[in-house]
């Protein structure tokens, strides 16, 4: 035992610069030759899938730029005690790839509202606008600017439709599927973001549009009860009141609407009821699991409060409910908080949410047939998040860079993390001249350093990837305007 260990240690000290991971197989050139031989064979034998999609599952990683995919992949591997760089995520298993140009018509770097409108309606619009074209500038111009979405089109085609997110269901990315506002903050009629004057001028809040105008939606899972409850009604779980000043309890209104139409329906607000729900018994399910956004995955697991299902569980349940329709379905699944953790310069929560989002994609791939189901994964925009610094293979992704090829670390000879941001609240007030101590960079609340001090870290402006498999997925190709994604409806 001891001799085996010492042989390994000697071997690893001689052959690798880092003994935590074993990449001895990578030294052999045959490995790389074989890899490409198999890949080319696979490509040569690939059959074009020219079917018309019966079902579509669209996964949106909010803020999931390519640097997040890379760092998230490494983290996913390291969670399994592998070095991480060679890990294969579920999204990268999809066959086809394109790049999406994310700018809004009036913004070089986009927000989630304008981008969601682009990939959900097929028309680019202004920053902060939801479900309306660029003509919408105030409450009076909304009516003539409304756009239909992929959700509407799927519904017209007789399909079932569902929305799953980890944010408030009224947040920008899901909202562009069903609502029309020029200003994304109009989530509830709260007298602040949507005033009485706005209401008189024709603006309707996002939550009421979901309940009043979209009664066909079969599955709605996410957070954000506060936007549906009046200010004198207490949510039984969070013990907090709603935001609404119009006295409407939209959750009760939803139940009333469903009852009137004799729809087999269920409202739920906790994981136990969610797990007990028999998908065959209900065609319309509204599940709101948090007063506000749902928890980050890191926090959900740690508290094990069991109030919230995971995004994997929500994806699975949604497909079970939707797939009963012989005409097929469209399901939108958003990993919505990758973005929000990045805004806090908190890479750990962003990447934990990335990993579970990727696992939800894996779950769906086990449940659907790619013969008749188009699976698309993309992001709305990137973040100013980077991974770099010549760390050795297998270096802990949240760790500091301990050796470099390029010699001295800096003028001050200090260490630094591989992950960093261009801007954000963790921007340094002055140049750090000491090492980062106590391994704090691997702690869950650590905020990676940023160059420019801002209140919040910002989105990034570069392209994001579109991954796709299934019917006519090969038509996702090249570098395209983000709005093009929605037009694959022509193929459904
Ligand atoms: C990884 O290693 C740690 C420490 O040895 C161990 O606690 C953990 O269970 C391992 N995880 C996996 C997925 O093997
Ligand atoms: C609720 O909204 C009504 C209508 O604007 C207002 O009069 C009342 O003060 C609000 N109540 C609370 C608790 O904010
Ligand atoms: C930081 O740590 C490195 C490696 O342990 C060491 O070489 C260097 O001198 C330290 N720098 C400072 C400023 O203490
Ligand atoms: C940091 O972590 C390493 C490896 O896990 C450990 O050897 C070292 O003692 C830790 N240092 C501190 C200051 O906690
Ligand atoms: Zn954002």
């Amino acid at each position: 035992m001891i001799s085996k260990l010492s042989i390994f240690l000697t071997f690893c000290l001689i052959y690798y610069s880092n003994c935590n991971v074993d990449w001895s197989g990578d030294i052999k050139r045959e490995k790389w030759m074989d890899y490409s031989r198999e890949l080319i064979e696979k490509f040569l034998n690939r059959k074009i899938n020219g079917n018309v999609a019966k079902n579509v599952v669209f996964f949106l990683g909010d803020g999931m730029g390519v640097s997040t995919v890379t760092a998230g992949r490494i983290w996913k591997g390291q969670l399994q005690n592998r070095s991480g760089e060679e890990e294969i995520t579920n999204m990268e298993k999809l066959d086809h790839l394109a790049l999406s140009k994310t700018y809004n018509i009036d913004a070089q770097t986009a927000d989630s509202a304008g981008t969601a409108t682009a990939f959900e309606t097929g028309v680019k619009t202004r920053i902060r606008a939801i479900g309306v074209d660029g003509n919408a500038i105030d409450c009076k111009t909304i009516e003539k600017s409304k756009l239909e979405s992929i959700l509407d089109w799927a519904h017209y085609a007789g399909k079932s439709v569902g929305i799953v997110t980890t944010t408030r269901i009224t947040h920008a990315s899901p909202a562009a599927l069903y609502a029309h506002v020029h200003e994304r903050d109009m989530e509830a009629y709260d007298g602040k973001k949507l005033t009485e004057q706005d209401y008189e001028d024709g603006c309707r809040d996002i939550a009421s549009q979901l309940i009043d105008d979209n009664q066909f939606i079969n599955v709605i899972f996410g957070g954000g009860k506060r936007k549906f409850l009046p200010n004198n009604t207490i949510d039984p779980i969070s013990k907090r009141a709603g935001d609404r000043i119009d006295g409407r309890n939209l959750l009760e209104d939803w139940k009333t609407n469903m009852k009137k139409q004799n729809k087999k329906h269920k409202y739920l607000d906790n994981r136990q009821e969610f797990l007990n729900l028999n998908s065959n018994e209900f065609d319309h399910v509204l599940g709101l699991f948090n007063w506000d956004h749902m928890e980050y995955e890191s926090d959900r697991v740690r508290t094990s409060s069991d109030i919230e299902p995971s995004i994997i569980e929500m994806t699975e349940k949604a497909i079970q409910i939707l797939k009963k329709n012989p005409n097929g379905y469209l399901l939108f699944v958003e990993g919505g908080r990758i973005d929000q953790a990045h805004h806090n310069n908190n890479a750990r929560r962003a990447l934990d949410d990335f990993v579970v989002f990727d696992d939800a994609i894996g779950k769906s791939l086990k449940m659907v047939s790619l013969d008749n189901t188009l699976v698309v994964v993309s992001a709305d925009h990137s973040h100013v998040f980077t991974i770099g610094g010549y760390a050795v293979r297998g270096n802990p992704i949240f760790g500091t860079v301990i050796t470099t090829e390029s010699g001295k670390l800096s003028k001050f000879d200090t260490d630094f993390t591989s992950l960093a941001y261009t801007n954000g609240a963790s921007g340094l007030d002055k140049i750090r001249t000491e090492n980062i101590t106590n391994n704090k960079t691997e702690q869950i609340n650590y905020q990676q350093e940023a160059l420019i001090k801002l209140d919040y870290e910002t989105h990034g402006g570069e392209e994001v990837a579109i991954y796709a498999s299934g019917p006519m997925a090969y038509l996702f190709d090249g570098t395209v305007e983000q709005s093009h994604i929605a037009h694959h409806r022509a193929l459904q």
Side-chain angles (χ1 to χ4, degrees), residues 115-151:
T115 52
T117 302
F119 58 75
E120 291 168 12
T121 73
V123 177
K124 281 209 177 196
T125 192
R126 294 172 195 263
I127 195 165
R128 302 192 71 80
I130 287 176
V132 288
D133 67 26
N135 288 305
I137 49 170
D138 54 27
C139 292
K140 292 180 174 151
T141 45
I142 287 175
E143 194 55 40
K144 63 171 186 191
S145 314
K146 286 184 176 177
L147 296 163
E148 288 182 342
S149 76
I150 51 175
L151 205 75

Side-chain angles (χ1 to χ4, degrees), residues 81 83 108 162 176 186 201 206 226 359 394 401 415 432 442 470 478:
N81 294 335
S83 66
Q108 193 170 66
M186 294 182 162
D201 289 345
I206 293 171
R226 60 186 295 185
D359 287 342
V401 178
D415 60 3
R432 176 168 54 80
E442 299 192 46

Side-chain angles (χ1 to χ4, degrees), residues 339 343 381 459:
D339 174 73
H343 280 306
H381 53 72
H459 297 167

Side-chain angles (χ1 to χ4, degrees), residues 401-402 409 412-415 432-436:
V401 178
I402 49 175
L409 300 179
F412 301 104
D413 197 21
T414 54
D415 60 3
R432 176 168 54 80
T433 57
E434 319 234 291
N435 278 331
I436 305 171

Side-chain angles (χ1 to χ4, degrees), residues 342-400:
H342 276 323
H343 280 306
N344 294 328
N345 298 112
N346 183 201
R348 172 62 185 271
R349 282 189 175 78
L351 298 191
D352 276 345
D353 267 35
F354 168 88
V355 170
V356 72
F357 176 67
D358 191 60
D359 287 342
I361 295 167
K363 170 57 86 176
S364 79
L365 290 173
K366 289 203 182 90
M367 297 177 73
V368 306
S369 161
L370 292 174
D371 290 337
N372 66 10
T373 305
L374 175 67
V375 177
V376 182
V377 181
S378 194
D380 44 2
H381 53 72
S382 185
H383 272 266
V384 293
F385 172 65
T386 59
I387 163 172
Y390 302 122
V392 294
R393 179 78 178 270
N395 198 54
I397 190 63
F398 300 108
T400 49

Side-chain angles (χ1 to χ4, degrees), residues 20-79:
N20 292 332
V21 298
D22 177 1
W23 43 266
S24 55
D26 290 358
I27 292 171
K28 301 193 187 75
R29 70 177 72 175
E30 292 78 15
K31 172 182 167 167
W32 307 104
M33 307 288 184
D34 291 347
Y35 167 78
S36 283
R37 190 174 296 116
E38 282 167 27
L39 201 57
I40 289 168
E41 262 170 38
K42 186 179 131 189
F43 289 159
L44 288 173
N45 292 324
R46 181 181 272 165
K47 296 214 171 39
I48 293 293
N49 182 342
N51 298 341
V52 173
K54 176 184 173 194
N55 313 310
V56 179
V57 187
F58 186 86
F59 285 96
L60 195 269
D62 197 312
M64 189 185 69
V66 172
S67 56
T68 297
V69 176
T70 307
R73 170 197 298 130
I74 294 172
W75 179 226
K76 191 168 187 180
Q78 292 185 346
L79 284 168

